[in-house]
Amino acid sequence: MKELVKNYWLSFLLALVIAAFTLLCLKADDELYLPFDAFSVKAEKYDTGEGVITIPSGADKTPDGIFALSKSFDLPRGNYSASVEYEFPEDGSLRLMDGETILGEIPLKAARIKDEFTFSLSRRANDFRISLSCPSSGEIIFKNISLKADRLLFRDHLFLGLLLILAVFLVPALSRRGIFTLRTLCAAGCIIFASYPLFSEALIAGHDTVFHMMRIEGIADAVLDGQFPAVIYPEAVYGHGYLGALYPNLFLYIPAFLRLINVSASGAYRFFYVVINAASFAAAYFAVKTVLKNSSFALFAGILFCLSPFRLIDVYYRSTLGECLAFLFFPLLLAGLYNILIGDEEAYLPLVIGMSGMVESHILSALYGGAICLVFCLAFLPELVKKTRILSLLKAAFATLLLNLAFFVPFFYYRSQNLQLDATIRRFNPKELALSLSEVFRILPYLYSDNEYTLLPRTMVPVLGLSGLLGLLFTGAYLLGEKKKEALRKFVSLSFALELFCVYFSTELFPWATLEKLTGLYYHLYLLEHPWRVFEIAVSLLCITLPVSLCRLGALKGYRFAAAAVVVIISLITASLQLDLFENRRSTIEPLTGNTAWSHNVDYMPSNFTAMEDYKGKQAPLPSPGVELTEYKKKGTTVDLIYSASPEDCFVDLPLLYYYGYRASDGNGNGLFLSESPAGTLRLFLPPAMNARVHLSFTQPWFNYASLALSLLTAAFLTLTVIVRGRKKLAQKSGAVKNNP
């Protein structure tokens, strides 16, 4: 104990300071104050001067007298006390809502300046709103509403405090073991620099932010609904449920878990992107360390990859969470290919992890990864057939297949349903979004900001930047100067050729107009949407070929680290300008911002789906003539009802989108027939009966669970293999040291 206090007294002191400040922050985390400007005014005429909303006499309001509607908030379940300041000429009301569902209505007495009330939420309300109404034609004044919960509204400060306390103990522990070095400090600095737009309570929204937040909310809601793995997002599409199994969800369980412990939606999202930035650095570092066995150039690769202009655009401007996740696995895939084709063929696990990471992140990127593997294997076919390299490749392929059965099996099962797909994934013509060559190597991406949002098509051009151009030049110089025909040179040559092809493919120089006439082929090219998506391949290759070229280029002997430093400085300057411009936008998501569970995405909808807005406000069942519902309860994907029906062919349309997996039974356990209604919802057919009970729920087929079990067993086996191999290496090193004292 004395030794612990001696070594970590400063850590204990810092932990106490952090805990004290965390507690101070928590004191305000159970309150929500809604001033007048948190409401949109629904009256024809109004004034917002002097910190209040004033509706003059005679101003038109909505038909039910609503004159103000609050922003959407995300509130946890619990008990709330509230106060409202107003002045009404006659009695009015305050309505509490979650989306279209009315949770309660509070009467407000005429002429009262301040009123207090309480309410309870039995579950989390992701789209909590407050509306104010007064039917009077006289003058109406509204000031504010204050809410106070019996628990923390969100636990962001608590979570951050625990992370900081963990850090102040972890850093000295790593330092004593020689792990926390100058390189570690540089790595941490790079990750923090790449993440600084995330270090604010408000999340600045990118193009796909809301959609991916919906996925995270959907997974959390599905787990609370009793689903594991998560298949149907029960609160999406205005509570009608959305099929999430066709998106790779594995890594999204991390932010979903944070949502389950009441970290805010924006907090969970921001933390996950910090993790992605750190993992991106680590992946590039590992890849180059594998190839060069040089920690300094591995550090250079990590910085280059983490701060690459195209990756930062993906993270912040486009906010393509799936692509960003898949992006970080490309270096691991390349390291695995290097091991199998050139290096230690038994070390095939990086290829398994790299390919599996892409599969579990972004399907299109996984196709890119498969194509890269095919190209490298064909180019190195003579090396593959020698010794045991082909066997290692087959092991990696088989392990990858087994490891991802938990995704593949449900994916192909639910994809076999007749779903709307082609119209939504072929929205952009690649020819129209191809870049000019000058745009590819801009020092900065071409952007404009209107202080609200930055749009995509030609107003934001993803770039490789000056660091990308230098990477191509140095790699070209290395290949021209290096005459020795070694395997590494061949690996770099092929990588360089692919880099140039990616640049060519993304530009207007590529024969897009000619290919467009080949309708069969071009139909599949539409899947790309944006040709410059292949930059994730080019950047990943550059982050390996550039460090290799600087390390091996004879003309740079004695100046290698100076050249690397120049590239790092250029990357830092470019990234700084890029991130500062991103920070200027105002489209933000606050910790308590609601409506993150309902996205307007329309991929993978049932065949009869029409438009998202058609499902808004339609939360009630629609029985056919002759059916009387005496009881109806819906929670997530579960419905219980009691009905009476006399004629044949009776049915009820339920407010759930039609997907495979729903099962219905009567009180005796007999199955009932389900089909898709003309609106794309579940149609439940009811036999003639009096006061009959029906239970409907979502269930997964046995093979979904079997595939999950096989994937988990494969993961356990691979982990055991790594442990055994690591112990063997340690034993060999120990033996070598003993034999050579």
Side-chain angles (χ1 to χ4, degrees):
M1 186 66 184
K2 288 182 178 179
E3 190 69 22
L4 185 67
V5 173
K6 179 182 176 182
N7 293 334
Y8 293 96
W9 67 270
L10 183 58
S11 296
F12 280 110
L13 182 61
L14 289 173
L16 288 173
V17 173
I18 292 169
F21 277 101
T22 301
L23 289 173
L24 288 174
C25 291
L26 295 182
K27 285 188 173 293
D29 287 353
D30 61 349
E31 299 176 355
L32 175 61
Y33 177 71
L34 305 181
F36 74 96
D37 56 2
F39 290 77
S40 59
V41 183
K42 302 299 180 182
E44 180 188 19
K45 297 178 182 178
Y46 63 92
D47 179 47
T48 55
E50 300 180 5
V52 298
I53 296 174
T54 303
I55 311 294
S57 300
D60 291 334
K61 299 183 285 292
T62 61
D64 53 359
I66 293 177
F67 67 86
L69 179 66
S70 75
K71 293 189 285 189
S72 174
F73 295 95
D74 180 53
L75 298 185
R77 64 184 180 87
N79 300 313
Y80 292 81
S81 58
S83 65
V84 53
E85 293 189 56
Y86 67 94
E87 188 173 342
F88 289 176
E90 61 181 81
D91 290 353
S93 65
L94 179 149
R95 185 175 291 175
L96 308 172
M97 301 180 295
D98 182 18
E100 302 298 316
T101 303
I102 298 174
L103 303 174
E105 193 156 353
I106 312 297
L108 299 177
K109 297 296 184 181
R112 184 170 293 181
I113 299 300
K114 188 172 184 177
D115 204 352
E116 295 182 349
F117 60 93
T118 61
F119 66 94
S120 298
L121 296 177
S122 59
R123 61 178 180 83
R124 182 168 60 87
N126 185 257
D127 191 23
F128 181 84
R129 297 176 190 267
I130 297 175
S131 68
L132 295 159
S133 61
C134 181
S136 173
S137 59
E139 184 181 66
I140 298 169
I141 296 175
F142 167 71
K143 293 184 178 179
N144 59 69
I145 295 177
S146 296
L147 303 180
K148 186 173 178 62
D150 63 352
R151 64 194 65 197
L152 297 176
L153 295 175
F154 57 92
R155 293 175 178 162
D156 294 26
H157 293 125
L158 180 61
F159 179 62
L160 177 61
L162 292 174
L163 286 179
L164 290 175
I165 289 171
L166 177 64
V168 298
F169 283 101
L170 194 60
V171 169
L174 293 176
S175 297
R176 283 179 172 79
R177 296 194 176 192
I179 298 173
F180 197 84
T181 62
L182 180 60
R183 289 193 187 95
T184 312
L185 192 62
C186 290
C190 175
I191 293 163
I192 291 170
F193 179 75
S195 306
Y196 80 78
L198 302 169
F199 299 149
S200 62
E201 285 201 343
L203 169 68
I204 302 175
H207 300 148
D208 293 347
T209 301
V210 174
F211 170 65
H212 291 298
M213 291 185 83
M214 179 274 289
R215 293 177 61 198
I216 295 167
E217 295 296 308
I219 292 169
D221 290 335
V223 171
L224 292 175
D225 189 52
Q227 301 176 48
F228 188 83
V231 174
I232 299 292
Y233 303 159
E235 299 303 321
V237 194
Y238 302 108
H240 285 68
Y242 178 67
L243 180 63
L246 297 181
Y247 296 102
N249 286 330
L250 177 63
F251 299 108
L252 269 62
Y253 280 92
I254 298 171
F257 170 75
L258 296 180
R259 291 295 290 131
L260 291 173
I261 62 173
N262 204 27
V263 174
S264 71
S266 69
Y269 198 81
R270 286 181 287 119
F271 172 76
F272 192 45
Y273 261 120
V274 174
V275 172
I276 289 173
N277 287 339
S280 297
F281 180 96
Y285 181 95
F286 173 84
V288 173
K289 185 72 182 290
T290 299
V291 174
L292 289 177
K293 307 294 187 294
N294 185 307
S295 298
S296 297
F297 279 103
L299 176 65
F300 169 61
I303 296 172
L304 191 66
F305 187 69
C306 192
L307 300 183
S308 64
F310 180 72
R311 200 192 75 83
L312 293 179
I313 285 172
D314 253 8
V315 169
Y316 294 111
Y317 292 95
R318 298 182 65 221
S319 194
T320 50
L321 185 58
E323 284 185 52
C324 292
L325 277 167
F327 204 165
L328 74 88
F329 288 101
F330 265 103
L332 295 179
L333 178 138
L334 294 170
L337 283 173
Y338 174 84
N339 282 338
I340 291 175
L341 301 174
I342 299 172
D344 179 5
E345 67 267 21
E346 289 300 313
Y348 59 82
L349 193 59
L351 178 58
V352 176
I353 296 173
M355 196 65 221
S356 298
M358 291 181 194
V359 169
E360 298 292 347
S361 302
H362 189 241
I363 298 170
L364 184 59
S365 295
L367 294 176
Y368 290 165
I372 292 298
C373 289
L374 180 62
V375 170
F376 271 92
C377 289
L378 289 175
F380 281 82
L381 194 57
E383 289 84 353
L384 269 177
V385 297
K386 292 178 184 178
K387 299 180 181 178
T388 57
R389 295 194 183 275
I390 189 71
L391 183 60
S392 295
L393 181 64
L394 292 174
K395 285 180 184 177
F398 188 60
T400 301
L401 177 63
L402 290 179
L403 198 58
N404 295 283
L405 279 178
F407 171 71
F408 287 136
V409 171
F411 176 85
F412 286 110
Y413 170 63
Y414 294 112
R415 185 66 188 87
S416 66
Q417 181 181 338
N418 183 22
L419 301 173
Q420 295 183 18
L421 181 61
D422 285 355
T424 57
I425 64 172
R426 291 180 168 87
R427 286 167 287 193
F428 302 104
N429 187 338
K431 183 187 75 172
E432 296 173 359
L433 292 167
L435 309 177
S436 67
L437 192 58
S438 64
E439 290 171 323
V440 173
F441 300 112
R442 285 180 185 273
I443 295 178
L444 278 178
Y446 175 61
L447 299 161
Y448 85 90
S449 177
D450 57 3
N451 291 327
E452 291 294 336
Y453 209 68
T454 301
L455 304 175
L456 175 62
R458 294 292 291 192
T459 59
M460 185 205 72
V461 177
V463 296
L464 292 179
L466 185 55
S467 57
L469 178 60
L470 290 174
L472 290 173
L473 292 175
F474 279 121
T475 305
Y478 161 69
L479 294 174
L480 288 172
E482 179 62 56
K483 302 301 181 184
K484 187 179 178 182
K485 292 186 177 180
E486 57 177 354
L488 180 57
R489 186 184 186 281
K490 182 177 178 180
F491 191 88
V492 173
S493 298
L494 181 57
S495 300
F496 183 64
L498 288 171
E499 292 162 11
L500 292 177
F501 176 77
C502 289
V503 171
Y504 174 56
F505 183 81
S506 68
T507 65
E508 297 163 339
L509 299 175
F510 193 74
W512 293 108
T514 303
L515 290 176
E516 192 174 22
K517 297 174 183 177
L518 305 174
T519 53
L521 174 62
Y522 203 72
Y523 177 78
H524 296 291
L525 287 175
Y526 256 92
L527 288 170
L528 294 171
E529 293 188 343
H530 316 294
W532 36 258
R533 268 181 161 166
V534 297
F535 281 171
E536 61 183 302
I537 300 173
V539 170
S540 303
L541 291 167
L542 277 167
C543 287
I544 292 179
T545 59
L546 178 54
V548 169
S549 300
L550 291 180
C551 183
R552 296 296 184 93
L553 190 57
L556 283 177
K557 190 174 182 180
Y559 299 97
R560 294 188 177 103
F561 291 109
V566 169
V567 177
V568 166
I569 291 169
I570 290 170
S571 296
L572 286 168
I573 293 172
T574 303
S576 178
L577 294 171
Q578 205 173 341
L579 296 178
D580 282 351
L581 185 56
F582 172 76
E583 282 273 276
N584 287 334
R585 296 192 301 172
R586 289 184 186 172
S587 181
T588 58
I589 298 172
E590 305 288 340
L592 289 176
T593 297
N595 202 18
T596 54
W598 297 342
S599 169
H600 283 250
N601 181 67
V602 292
D603 292 348
Y604 306 126
M605 291 300 186
S607 57
N608 293 334
F609 174 85
T610 50
M612 189 70 73
E613 289 302 312
D614 293 344
Y615 300 86
K616 187 175 182 180
K618 297 181 179 178
Q619 312 258 334
L622 300 174
S624 64
V627 176
E628 181 184 358
L629 299 180
T630 54
E631 186 177 311
Y632 172 81
K633 292 180 181 178
K634 177 181 177 292
K635 183 180 180 182
T637 57
T638 302
V639 171
D640 289 285
L641 59 86
I642 299 176
Y643 77 96
S644 296
S646 52
E648 298 286 341
D649 299 325
C650 288
F651 61 85
V652 57
D653 290 342
L654 300 173
L656 291 166
L657 290 181
Y658 176 76
Y659 291 116
Y660 288 172
Y662 284 101
R663 300 287 184 270
S665 59
D666 60 18
N668 298 319
N670 299 314
L672 300 177
F673 182 69
L674 295 167
S675 70
E676 183 179 352
S677 76
T681 56
L682 276 174
R683 174 162 288 183
L684 170 62
F685 287 87
L686 303 169
M690 291 295 293
N691 294 322
R693 290 185 177 273
V694 173
H695 175 77
L696 178 140
S697 61
F698 180 80
T699 58
Q700 298 189 48
W702 65 269
F703 45 80
N704 278 14
Y705 296 110
S707 63
L708 176 61
L710 280 171
S711 293
L712 290 174
L713 286 172
T714 304
F717 175 76
L718 291 173
T719 303
L720 184 63
T721 302
V722 171
I723 293 171
V724 171
R725 195 165 185 268
R727 285 182 175 178
K728 281 183 179 179
K729 281 192 171 183
L730 283 174
Q732 289 172 356
K733 285 183 179 179
S734 299
V737 170
K738 287 179 181 179
N739 293 330
N740 298 283

